[in-house]
Amino acid sequence: MVEWTEQERTIITTIFSNLDYEDVGPKALARCLIVYPWTQRYFASFGNLYNAEAIKTNPNIAAHGTKVLHGLDRAVKNLDNIKATYAELSVLHSEKLHVDPDNFKLLADCLTIVIAAKLGSAFTPETQAAFQKFLAVVVSALGRQYH
Amino acid sequence: MPRLTYKPPHDCLLIGIRTKQLANRMSLTAKDKDTVKAFWGKVSAKAEDIGQDALSRMLVVYPQTKTYFAHWQDLSPGSAPVKKHGATIMAGVGDAVSKIDDLTAGLLNLSELHAFTLRVDPANFKILAHNILVVLAIRLPSDFTPEVHVAIDKFLAAVARALSEKYR
């Protein structure tokens, strides 16, 4: 069981309540596909990913980025039970989507960078620690059902 | 759970060769180097501040890294030893930018220092690099585009490889 301090809970819920999903989601996913190009392997059917500009303006990627970010909402609402909350999603990513779980961390890192750019100096070391802890728990839960 | 697939010995050898091939092919392109140098021009004035912030974050977000600094009185963000050391580290990064065409040769002394004296586990280079990237995103949100991000990430990984050269 993951232990969360009151401060960590506040930090995480505050970040998500002030989040512009339609901005951050697309930016995080696009950044992941650009910085770690091998992750494009999962998006072969999404259209033009030939260069950074194409990725940044691809509407399918944008829509998917928003979707993925909203996927984190359930974790935020169930901080004390993320593992169980994501059991089904984990099976989906393993059995249907066949995503290498190492990729979850890559997307998490890009999301951290995008949030950092948005929040600026408000993204203090303590905020970064709480946010990265949250993402680490999510990443672990998503990889849990792989076999 | 990690996938448990047995890799027979000859696969291990092939993986080793392949990794080396990939490392050579994953080296910095001319475009990467130009991007790094241009971006460094924008940050060099704030280098000390960036170093201090990145190091502070690393010590808070990855507490295991504090084990290398047990000899400091104060490990809190912005403390005197953190400030000084952050500046030292970024001076090294700046030096690496100037030697970007041959990092292995250029960082030889630093590699020996890290290998024989400091003995920092190379996994920590990645951790520090991540925190440098976070600080760059905070300080220069519009300049730290995905294209710049990938070039800087590759560069810091190349620096880490050069620093690890003398380890074994």
Side-chain angles (χ1 to χ4, degrees):
Chain A
M1 247 281 284
V2 184
E3 300 281 335
W4 303 99
T5 64
E6 274 316 305
Q7 198 200 16
E8 284 169 341
R9 288 175 198 271
T10 307
I11 288 172
I12 293 160
T13 49
T14 305
I15 289 178
F16 276 86
S17 59
N18 296 330
L19 205 52
D20 181 356
Y21 287 76
E22 262 105 54
D23 181 50
V24 170
K27 279 188 175 146
L29 184 57
R31 192 169 281 256
C32 187
L33 297 176
I34 293 167
V35 178
Y36 309 107
W38 53 93
T39 57
Q40 292 168 27
R41 72 191 304 281
Y42 303 107
F43 301 97
S45 61
F46 276 52
N48 186 359
L49 301 177
Y50 294 141
N51 52 45
E53 255 328 288
I55 293 170
K56 283 193 268 190
T57 53
N58 184 314
N60 295 324
I61 294 295
H64 198 70
T66 307
K67 183 173 171 185
V68 166
L69 199 55
H70 276 297
L72 291 177
D73 287 341
R74 286 166 62 203
V76 178
K77 294 194 173 76
N78 293 284
L79 282 176
D80 292 310
N81 207 4
I82 292 179
K83 192 164 76 178
T85 305
Y86 277 157
E88 238 183 271
L89 263 179
S90 179
V91 171
L92 175 82
H93 283 76
S94 164
E95 305 297 302
K96 187 147 178 282
L97 304 176
H98 306 292
V99 177
D100 182 338
D102 287 346
N103 290 303
F104 301 144
K105 185 165 193 308
L106 301 181
L107 181 57
D109 283 349
C110 286
L111 182 57
T112 302
I113 300 263
V114 171
I115 298 277
K118 268 239 138 160
L119 299 181
S121 47
F123 197 63
T124 62
E126 290 70 33
T127 305
Q128 183 184 343
F131 190 65
Q132 289 197 206
K133 178 177 169 179
F134 169 72
L135 290 180
V137 174
V138 167
V139 164
S140 167
L142 279 177
R144 196 71 180 71
Q145 305 303 326
Y146 280 65
H147 63 93
Chain B
M1 282 302 286
R3 284 148 319 152
L4 300 164
T5 39
Y6 173 66
K7 298 234 175 276
H10 69 275
D11 268 356
C12 289
L13 184 59
L14 286 172
I15 287 166
I17 293 170
R18 187 84 179 113
T19 310
K20 193 139 197 272
Q21 283 175 330
L22 279 172
N24 290 335
R25 263 197 277 128
M26 289 203 296
S27 55
L28 302 168
T29 63
K31 183 157 170 258
D32 289 330
K33 293 181 191 177
D34 285 341
T35 305
V36 170
K37 286 190 264 194
F39 187 74
W40 189 256
K42 292 185 186 147
V43 307
S44 56
K46 312 179 213 211
E48 284 187 11
D49 201 34
I50 290 171
Q52 176 262 109
D53 196 356
L55 188 58
S56 299
R57 280 167 194 278
M58 186 182 81
L59 296 169
V60 169
V61 182
Y62 302 87
Q64 70 272 21
T65 58
K66 292 193 289 189
T67 54
Y68 290 97
F69 304 103
H71 55 287
W72 285 355
Q73 302 287 50
D74 186 359
L75 285 155
S76 56
S79 69
V82 170
K83 265 193 156 135
K84 181 158 176 272
H85 199 61
T88 304
I89 292 174
M90 286 311 270
V93 173
D95 190 39
V97 174
S98 68
K99 295 172 175 162
I100 202 168
D101 288 315
D102 192 348
L103 288 170
T104 309
L107 301 180
L108 195 66
N109 292 337
L110 270 178
S111 181
E112 288 183 346
L113 177 73
H114 284 77
F116 304 126
T117 310
L118 302 177
R119 288 177 291 196
V120 174
D121 189 313
N124 295 293
F125 299 148
K126 214 162 190 258
I127 293 175
L128 180 58
H130 168 74
N131 286 290
I132 291 174
L133 296 176
V134 168
V135 173
L136 293 177
I138 290 172
R139 299 301 168 90
L140 297 103
S142 35
D143 291 294
F144 195 62
T145 61
E147 296 91 316
V148 168
H149 178 166
V150 61
I152 301 285
D153 194 27
K154 284 177 73 175
F155 167 66
L156 291 175
V159 169
R161 274 197 304 275
L163 283 177
S164 310
E165 270 295 314
K166 291 287 169 195
Y167 270 64
R168 56 177 174 173

